[in-house]
Amino acid sequence: MLEKIGVIGGGFIGGVLVQEIAQRRLAREVGLVDPAPMVNPADPEERQAVVRRQSVAIGKSLDIFEGLPVVSRDVRLVGTKDYSALAGAELVINTAGVPRKARPDGTFPSREELLAINLKVTIEVARGIAQFCPEAMIISIANPLDAIVFTLDKRLAPPKNRLVGMAGVLDSARYRAFVAEAANVSVENVNAIVLGGHGDDMVPVRSSCLIAGLPVERFLDADTLLRIENRTRKAGGEVVGLLGFGSAFVSPAWSALEMAEAIIFDKRKILPVCAKLEGEYGVDGLFCGVPAILGRNGVEQVIELDLTAEEKAAFAKSVAGVAKTCEEAGAMLATL
Ligand code: TXD
């Protein structure tokens, strides 16, 4: 158990994180930060005064605090609209961002517009971490995942073991869930990993996919596996399309907490995480989804898999996509 965990962003994922941290007794105190609701300067003054008195972070913290007796948990909960609730956190989980929402005229922001908005958010997040918990381990979830982790690294320059992105655990869980369903076996029997960026060119690694230690091909034919791997790449969009608001939020929260527990309990667990590569897989200076040992020091060691020629080519393509996104982010950061 840690003394304190900070959660940045009290939206769909942030709310599940705080609730689960309390339920699992991962920290004696949880600090939740979220500036929402934001005042709209175009609103009448009396409306602005009402919004200034509201706080998603305080409201969600109070809601969970009031439920603690029901689940017999003693956890201190602190919510703030600024970053002061992060004070003293040993671990922070970043979910801060502005999702793709239709504008009043029904159009959506472009990917670049959304990237610029979320880079500005991440600059604020980095400032808050630097001010209130500069030594904290950081797990970042916010999208675009690779660009946000890149930005946190640029702004905070933490030791590489103390900054990871969460996407691979979720993408691999999706792969495992679909394989288990198709093979009609327990999810506990399926071991699989997805490498690369958190995008459509992510790499489900079929050569490492095992069911009860046996190659997955012993259970599923090539066509079924191809369908599953394609569905894994698009799984985020599938949930977004079904929900009609926001994106998946329970599975991402659970995935980030699997990483947090590996760190908190020094499990030295091998998980797919967005980690800084310095020569591994032939990549240098880029954060990308790879298997790594997670323990008390965060990223203890990156693990290099033996990939097939096809998987190596797919990984190289995904890395190139991450590099392009980070180059775009770097250029935008220079103007912010
Ligand atoms: O696998 C993955 N990594 C992805 C990540 C899986 C699913 C969701 N993915 C992304 O996570 C998603 O696209 C978002 O970028 C984040 C968080 O998803 P969530 O569903 O929780 O988004 P919400 O509900 O919009 O919550 C974001 C909160 C919201 O309450 C804002 O008010 C808050 O972030 N926010 C801020 N918090 C702190 N500091 C600043 N500056 C800030 N700006 C907005």
Side-chain angles (χ1 to χ4, degrees):
M1 174 187 275
L2 294 182
E3 187 51 41
K4 183 164 184 178
I5 296 176
V7 175
I8 305 172
F12 287 104
I13 294 179
V16 175
L17 285 172
V18 176
Q19 165 195 336
E20 287 285 300
I21 290 166
Q23 186 80 29
R24 302 180 191 197
R25 293 191 178 100
L26 298 182
R28 289 181 181 77
E29 180 169 315
V30 188
L32 177 61
V33 163
D34 197 314
M38 277 65 133
V39 172
N40 180 349
D43 281 347
E45 180 45 40
E46 60 271 24
R47 171 67 192 150
Q48 292 190 38
V50 168
V51 173
R52 271 194 284 270
R53 290 194 298 272
Q54 293 173 330
S55 164
V56 165
I58 298 173
K60 287 198 175 182
S61 299
L62 184 59
D63 174 22
I64 294 167
F65 166 72
E66 293 170 357
L68 294 179
V70 178
V71 294
S72 303
R73 294 289 184 271
D74 291 300
V75 179
R76 295 188 300 276
L77 295 158
V78 180
T80 56
K81 294 183 91 165
D82 60 17
Y83 292 96
S84 56
L86 298 181
E90 300 131 287
L91 168 69
V92 291
I93 305 176
N94 174 41
T95 75
V98 174
R100 282 170 62 86
K101 270 182 188 148
R103 296 193 188 91
D105 63 4
T107 60
F108 278 87
S110 69
R111 179 183 168 281
E112 288 67 23
E113 283 171 303
L114 200 64
L115 182 56
I117 293 165
N118 282 325
L119 290 184
K120 285 177 189 161
V121 165
T122 307
I123 289 169
E124 291 171 19
V125 166
R127 204 174 290 133
I129 292 171
Q131 182 178 355
F132 291 101
C133 53
E135 303 304 316
M137 176 76 211
I138 304 166
I139 297 174
S140 191
I141 299 178
N143 268 333
L145 188 277
D146 306 299
I148 300 304
V149 172
F150 166 87
T151 301
L152 289 170
D153 182 52
K154 288 295 171 203
R155 290 286 167 158
L156 295 169
K160 66 176 184 177
N161 61 295
R162 284 213 330 244
L163 171 59
V164 283
M166 187 301 289
V169 172
L170 173 60
D171 297 329
S172 304
R174 287 165 165 165
Y175 190 22
R176 291 170 59 200
F178 298 147
V179 165
E181 181 185 46
N184 196 23
V185 297
S186 165
V187 293
E188 294 178 50
N189 287 127
V190 183
N191 203 320
I193 191 162
V194 174
L195 302 183
H198 184 51
D200 290 350
D201 53 16
M202 65 177 77
V203 185
V205 183
R206 186 183 301 183
S207 61
S208 299
C209 183
L210 301 175
I211 298 180
L214 298 168
V216 66
E217 292 90 342
R218 292 275 296 272
F219 296 81
L220 299 173
D221 63 45
D223 288 347
T224 301
L225 284 168
L226 188 60
R227 176 177 54 77
I228 285 172
E229 287 147 10
N230 289 332
R231 187 180 180 193
T232 299
R233 292 188 186 92
K234 304 279 187 186
E238 182 181 359
V239 173
V240 168
L242 287 165
L243 288 176
F245 64 84
S247 43
F249 55 98
V250 175
S251 51
W254 283 349
S255 299
L257 290 173
E258 180 171 29
M259 295 166 65
E261 289 189 351
I263 295 162
I264 293 165
F265 300 119
D266 191 20
K267 287 186 165 190
R268 296 189 62 80
K269 190 171 191 178
I270 298 176
L271 292 170
V273 297
C274 179
K276 190 165 198 175
L277 300 180
E278 292 186 331
E280 302 89 341
Y281 292 91
V283 179
D284 190 29
L286 199 64
F287 279 80
C288 199
V290 292
I293 297 175
L294 285 194
R296 74 172 66 201
N297 299 307
V299 180
E300 305 281 5
Q301 181 189 339
V302 170
I303 302 296
E304 297 201 62
L305 297 179
D306 297 326
L307 301 173
T308 65
E310 189 183 354
E311 289 162 348
K312 282 179 184 168
F315 182 68
K317 182 181 176 214
S318 188
V319 167
V322 170
K324 181 171 178 295
T325 298
C326 293
E327 194 179 323
E328 287 168 6
M332 283 186 185
L333 284 173
T335 66
L336 296 178

